[in-house]
Amino acid sequence: MRLTKLIKSFALCMCLVLALPSHQAEAKTSRIKGIDVSGRYNGVVDWESVAAQGYTYAMIRIAEGQAPDVDSQFEANYAGAKAAGLKVGVYHDCCIRTPKDAVLEANYCLELLNARELDYPIAYDIEKDGSFLGGIENTTAIAKSYCDVISAAGYIPMIYSTASHLTKDFNWEKLDGIKIWVAHYGVEETTFPGTYDMWQYTDKGSVEGANTDKGYCDLNYSFLEAESITLSEDTSTLGLGETISLNADLSPIGCTDSVQWTSSDESIASVDENGVVTSLAKGNVTITATTGSGETAEASITVKKAPKSISLSFASKKLSTGKTFQLKPLLSSGSASSQIIYKSSNKSVASVSSMGKIKAKKAGTAIISLTTFNGKTTTVKITVK
């Protein structure tokens, strides 16, 4: 794949940025590295050599436009990359100006694939000037028409283009869920402000066995595969009937890999597709989060009785201005509530944190209330001098 122009820095005009995927504020790199190749620019590829250099996936050009074009090395590249143990996706050069023709190109791509298995998406390479002449809505319709056909066939669709085009020439509200492959060279961080799944960061890479006659090869970072996963909590004790949300943090920064949640015993605690755990019976259970790349993390959950009461060892407390005090609530015997809500009746006098730490602010009185997940409540009177 070759871009027709060098991508330059540009100021974002917010009126043109239509519902971009959520912004990734930090620069993103990844240990998951791959190449994209074509017969035109890379010729015959030595895939064993590519694999030996640590590249783990390849995006292979399948065709440009419609029949009869097919990349001269597609068959050999697919077979060679698979044999060398690389994960494989394909890209297809867009050569049309209407959504109707995009459907024809998508069907042609599927015809050439002939039901081959892919590990990575089918990327629609939209960068030719003609595809943008009809305006944002037409370009968006072209992308959606192609991707809908690809998705219906059981493959993962993706849009490839420059950072500039992806920012200002697509309406992402209408392309929700479609993977994004951004091309932006010679920068530490792409100017594309949305979430992206792959980054083609140079067209001047050196990969023995895959270089062009000029000595260059396109290189990419992938954020489709998690390198590691950690959970917001690795242990928790719940009351019967309580819920808790486990959050999964994936590495590298900006990773878009999927996460599947499972429970070791759904009669004790269930977990939904978003990591929300619901306790159902007393006992112990392990919740496991598994990424699409096979990385796992676990949380040990203990379920006890729901509390019948919550109390403190005192009914009032005097504090000097500026002092702090940590509340330590007592629950009925053998019960649990991982979440206790703390509130102050007068925050200007005494505030209380989500963990029950009181801060005396000025002279006066305030009532601090404590409430369990199932609505059991107690209070304490705070007098600030």
Side-chain angles (χ1 to χ4, degrees):
M1 192 182 299
R2 284 295 179 271
L3 300 176
T4 58
K5 301 177 181 178
L6 282 174
I7 304 171
K8 300 179 180 180
S9 297
F10 56 93
L12 297 178
C13 176
M14 295 310 295
C15 64
L16 293 176
V17 181
L18 298 178
L20 286 165
S22 58
H23 179 55
Q24 300 293 340
E26 302 178 64
K28 300 197 300 182
T29 60
S30 169
R31 293 198 302 269
I32 311 297
K33 296 183 179 181
I35 64 174
D36 58 86
V37 297
S38 67
R40 179 186 302 169
Y41 291 107
N42 301 91
V44 177
V45 176
D46 182 344
W47 288 105
E48 293 294 338
S49 176
V50 171
Q53 293 168 75
Y55 295 95
T56 59
Y57 74 94
M59 296 296 290
I60 296 169
R61 182 178 179 273
I62 191 168
E64 181 175 38
Q66 302 178 43
D69 185 87
V70 59
D71 191 272
S72 62
Q73 290 296 311
F74 167 65
E75 299 276 355
N77 281 335
Y78 178 90
K82 281 287 193 179
L86 277 75
K87 295 180 179 180
V88 171
V90 300
Y91 71 90
H92 186 185
D93 294 335
C94 172
C95 295
I96 52 82
R97 299 186 181 189
T98 69
K100 181 178 179 181
D101 286 334
V103 170
L104 297 177
E105 289 196 339
N107 283 319
Y108 180 54
C109 178
L110 295 175
E111 179 184 336
L112 292 176
L113 277 174
N114 194 26
R116 287 181 175 85
E117 292 185 0
L118 294 178
D119 313 288
Y120 264 58
I122 296 175
Y124 201 27
D125 178 353
I126 306 177
E127 57 180 310
K128 290 181 171 60
D129 290 343
S131 298
F132 302 103
L133 293 178
I136 292 175
E137 293 307 317
N138 186 66
T139 303
T140 299
I142 287 171
K144 189 175 188 309
S145 296
Y146 184 95
C147 290
D148 283 350
V149 173
I150 297 302
S151 180
Y155 293 102
I156 299 172
M158 172 179 269
I159 300 299
Y160 167 94
S161 198
T162 69
S164 176
H165 281 312
L166 290 172
T167 301
K168 65 185 178 64
D169 290 319
F170 295 87
N171 182 346
W172 293 104
E173 281 187 334
K174 297 182 178 180
L175 298 171
D176 184 47
I178 293 176
K179 303 297 184 183
I180 297 173
W181 181 8
V182 59
H184 201 166
Y185 310 149
V187 293
E188 291 187 359
E189 181 180 3
T190 174
T191 55
F192 177 63
T195 298
Y196 47 94
D197 304 277
M198 284 170 49
W199 177 12
Q200 187 185 73
Y201 61 93
T202 184
D203 63 346
K204 296 292 191 295
S206 178
V207 180
E208 185 176 348
N211 292 342
T212 67
D213 56 359
K214 296 180 180 178
Y216 301 136
C217 184
D218 296 340
L219 302 182
N220 302 273
Y221 292 128
S222 172
F223 305 98
L224 290 164
E225 302 180 63
E227 298 170 14
S228 65
I229 178 174
T230 57
L231 299 182
S232 53
E233 297 188 45
D234 53 15
T235 60
S236 187
T237 301
L238 307 181
L240 184 60
E242 188 174 9
T243 63
I244 186 174
S245 294
L246 296 177
N247 297 314
D249 184 23
L250 305 184
S251 176
I253 296 169
C255 181
T256 60
D257 203 349
S258 61
V259 178
Q260 182 177 8
W261 300 87
T262 56
S263 169
S264 63
D265 190 337
E266 292 190 350
S267 68
I268 295 175
S270 64
V271 61
D272 70 10
E273 66 274 13
N274 298 311
V276 177
V277 179
T278 301
S279 60
L280 302 170
K282 291 190 295 181
N284 297 297
V285 67
T286 299
I287 302 298
T288 303
T290 305
T291 69
S293 61
E295 299 296 318
T296 62
E298 295 180 345
S300 297
I301 305 295
T302 298
V303 181
K304 295 185 176 183
K305 294 185 295 184
K308 294 182 178 180
S309 64
I310 181 173
S311 61
L312 293 165
S313 59
F314 48 87
S316 62
K317 184 76 176 178
K318 294 181 180 179
L319 296 174
S320 299
T321 302
K323 296 295 184 178
T324 61
F325 183 79
Q326 179 64 53
L327 294 174
K328 297 179 180 179
L330 303 172
L331 300 178
S332 54
S333 179
S335 69
S337 179
S338 72
Q339 304 166 67
I340 296 177
I341 299 173
Y342 297 88
K343 291 184 178 180
S344 171
S345 66
N346 194 339
K347 295 179 182 178
S348 65
V349 171
S351 62
V352 61
S353 74
S354 61
M355 301 302 292
K357 190 171 187 178
I358 298 172
K359 183 174 182 180
K361 293 185 172 182
K362 70 176 185 179
T365 60
I367 304 299
I368 305 297
S369 64
L370 297 75
T371 306
T372 66
F373 80 90
N374 62 337
K376 305 304 179 181
T377 301
T378 191
T379 61
V380 60
K381 181 181 178 180
I382 303 297
T383 301
V384 181
K385 297 181 178 180

